[in-house]
Amino acid sequence: MPTAPPHPAASETGDKLLLTPGPLTTSAAVKQAMLHDWGSRDAEFIRINREVLERLSELACGGDALVTVPMQGSGTFAVEAMLTAFVPRQGKLLLLCNGAYGQRARRIAEIAGLAHGMMETPENVPPNPAALAARLEAEPGISHVFVVHCETTSGIVNPLAEIAQVVRRFGRALLVDAMSAFGAIAIDARRLGLTALAASSNKCLQGVPGLGFVICRKDALAATKGNARSLALDLYEQWSALDKTGQWRFTPPIHVIVALHHALAEHRAEGGVAGRCQRYTGNCRLLVDGMRKLGFQTLLPDGLQSPIIVTFHTPADPKFHFQTFYDRLKDRGYVIYPGKLTVADSFRIGCIGHIGPEHIAGALDAIDAVLAKMGVSRCAPNLAA
Ligand SMILES: Cc1ncc(COP(=O)(O)O)c(C=O)c1O
């Protein structure tokens, strides 16, 4: 007998739906993949691990020139490993920053003692490739440029292709935080000439949290020997141990890797990056149209909006309290996300994870009902304030 589809307000396992930038709702099969034990030195796990790393390189259109180096921990561990491996002691890093993850990269650089400079734009404004060209021309000492592909603070997609073209023209190296979009917005690392990108298991690949990874040019990685500022985050040593033995230097997050192996099979079955992008774009369109119909305003114009997460301005109506709104939506099965903007009051709703149009439609109905209960009648923000 066919089973009934899951209620729109619950995941396949009955959990609340995470409309967040990750960790996010995963399929039942991805969770079930973790219900076993594996030895970290066992051939079966070594095979699964190798397949995961090879597939990740393929998703970056890597070919033989690229390699994926995994890193235990969350995405930040991978970003820190990437920056501290690739920027040598005599190098200088230019950080393009329009949100919290650009600022986090700056903190990494400060703590590690990397020479660095900033090019900042407001949270709703992408970096300007012409200004970047002028800066690189004026500062020949800048060896590396860092950019966040999709800045989750706002949901903006930064112009990676244009930035990569400028960085290539000036012969510098480009390091990318691709965390929130990898697997859903195409990145051809070879064509773009990237030196490295960092991402993690628990975002658009729809795995569980616990694994970061850096996909990088093998020749550039080989030149990083001795650059690391930390034992555990030493990307070169991590790679060289794996390359020699197929085994991790230190305990791997085995269950996370096995779940990611399954998640990658689901990703492939959905049509890879293009298929996932299509579903998320549909989710995003439905969400933005529905919220605008209710009177909400998005921070970003549609041309800058990623299909990953949407920032909405907080309504000016004095009856709107975010915490009440959040709690009542959660009671109905939908977990949304607070805002992270420094410039305006806002909240965010994610479009990613194992969710489809029926879940977004369910969330919109729940939002409508909660607003009515709260007595909120005007969802437009007061942007003059
Ligand atoms: C663009 C971006 N970079 C870095 C991170 C940091 O990842 P984590 O919280 O897994 O350390 C995130 C997390 O949301 C992100 O969206």
Side-chain angles (χ1 to χ4, degrees):
M1 226 173 80
T3 52
H7 187 271
S11 74
E12 287 170 345
T13 43
D15 300 313
K16 295 182 193 309
L17 287 167
L18 302 179
L19 302 180
T20 69
L24 34 71
T25 296
T26 55
S27 72
V30 163
K31 289 185 267 281
Q32 271 153 11
M34 294 186 287
L35 295 179
H36 300 281
D37 302 313
W38 292 266
S40 62
R41 316 235 171 254
D42 185 71
E44 177 66 357
F45 170 69
I46 289 174
R47 176 188 63 81
I48 290 172
N49 185 62
R50 193 184 57 243
E51 287 177 5
V52 165
L53 300 183
E54 286 172 359
R55 181 63 182 151
L56 293 174
S57 295
E58 258 174 48
L59 290 178
C61 309
D64 285 344
L66 294 193
V67 65
T68 299
V69 188
M71 185 56 68
Q72 298 95 329
S74 79
T76 304
F77 290 62
V79 175
E80 186 158 350
M82 173 175 76
L83 294 179
T84 52
F86 283 99
V87 183
R89 282 167 218 281
Q90 68 283 13
K92 179 168 180 182
L93 177 65
L94 177 65
L95 299 146
L96 306 185
C97 175
N98 56 349
Y101 296 102
Q103 294 295 351
R104 190 174 295 178
R106 184 229 289 257
R107 271 306 281 150
I108 291 171
E110 276 170 4
I111 290 169
L114 307 180
H116 63 281
M118 296 288 280
M119 263 189 72
E120 289 190 67
T121 47
E123 286 154 337
N124 56 350
V125 177
N128 179 337
L132 172 62
R135 181 80 177 255
L136 294 182
E137 175 130 58
E139 268 198 74
I142 293 170
S143 54
H144 292 71
V145 175
F146 168 88
V147 69
V148 180
H149 188 192
C150 169
E151 195 20 287
T152 325
T153 308
S154 61
I156 198 169
V157 192
N158 286 325
L160 184 58
E162 289 87 335
I163 290 166
Q165 198 180 19
V166 171
V167 174
R168 264 201 328 269
R169 177 148 60 89
F170 285 89
R172 317 296 166 84
L174 183 57
L175 306 174
V176 179
D177 173 346
M179 202 70 57
S180 60
F182 188 75
I185 300 184
I187 289 199
D188 185 332
R190 222 163 14 149
R191 199 173 51 74
L192 293 172
L194 306 188
T195 292
L197 68 84
S200 74
S201 51
N202 63 284
K203 295 197 183 274
C204 301
L205 298 175
Q206 295 185 188
V208 302
L211 180 77
F213 53 87
V214 178
I215 305 179
C216 51
R217 275 185 21 222
K218 266 186 207 164
D219 58 344
L221 179 63
T224 66
K225 187 172 166 80
N227 284 355
R229 279 75 165 175
S230 132
L231 172 79
L233 297 180
D234 188 332
L235 212 60
Y236 179 88
E237 290 300 331
Q238 185 89 330
W239 171 58
S240 87
L242 263 169
D243 196 44
K244 276 191 206 109
T245 64
Q247 296 177 7
W248 287 57
R249 274 189 308 161
F250 310 132
T251 301
I254 292 192
H255 296 77
V256 176
I257 292 165
V258 174
L260 182 58
H261 189 254
H262 195 88
L264 286 168
E266 290 186 351
H267 182 268
R268 193 193 283 271
E270 190 174 354
V273 175
R276 191 136 297 177
C277 185
Q278 195 179 5
R279 176 163 56 85
Y280 289 173
T281 302
N283 287 348
C284 182
R285 191 71 268 148
L286 200 60
L287 176 70
V288 167
D289 288 348
M291 291 293 277
R292 285 186 180 148
K293 229 179 244 167
L294 292 172
F296 286 95
Q297 273 184 32
T298 57
L299 170 76
L300 298 171
D302 292 353
L304 294 177
Q305 177 65 59
S306 69
I308 308 298
I309 188 159
V310 184
T311 299
F312 296 98
H313 286 288
T314 300
D317 192 320
K319 295 209 173 111
F320 185 89
H321 297 286
F322 177 73
Q323 195 57 48
T324 311
F325 181 61
Y326 176 96
D327 290 342
R328 292 195 180 167
L329 280 176
K330 186 173 163 205
D331 289 345
R332 289 168 185 258
Y334 301 96
V335 176
I336 62 166
Y337 221 56
K340 210 173 177 135
L341 295 184
T342 53
V343 291
D345 278 344
S346 62
F347 64 90
R348 292 174 290 171
I349 301 186
C351 311
I352 61 179
H354 189 60
I355 54 169
E358 68 280 23
H359 303 112
I360 299 291
L364 288 166
D365 286 347
I367 289 169
D368 197 15
V370 166
L371 291 170
K373 268 241 152 90
M374 290 169 71
V376 175
S377 55
R378 284 177 308 111
C379 294
N382 180 3
L383 293 180

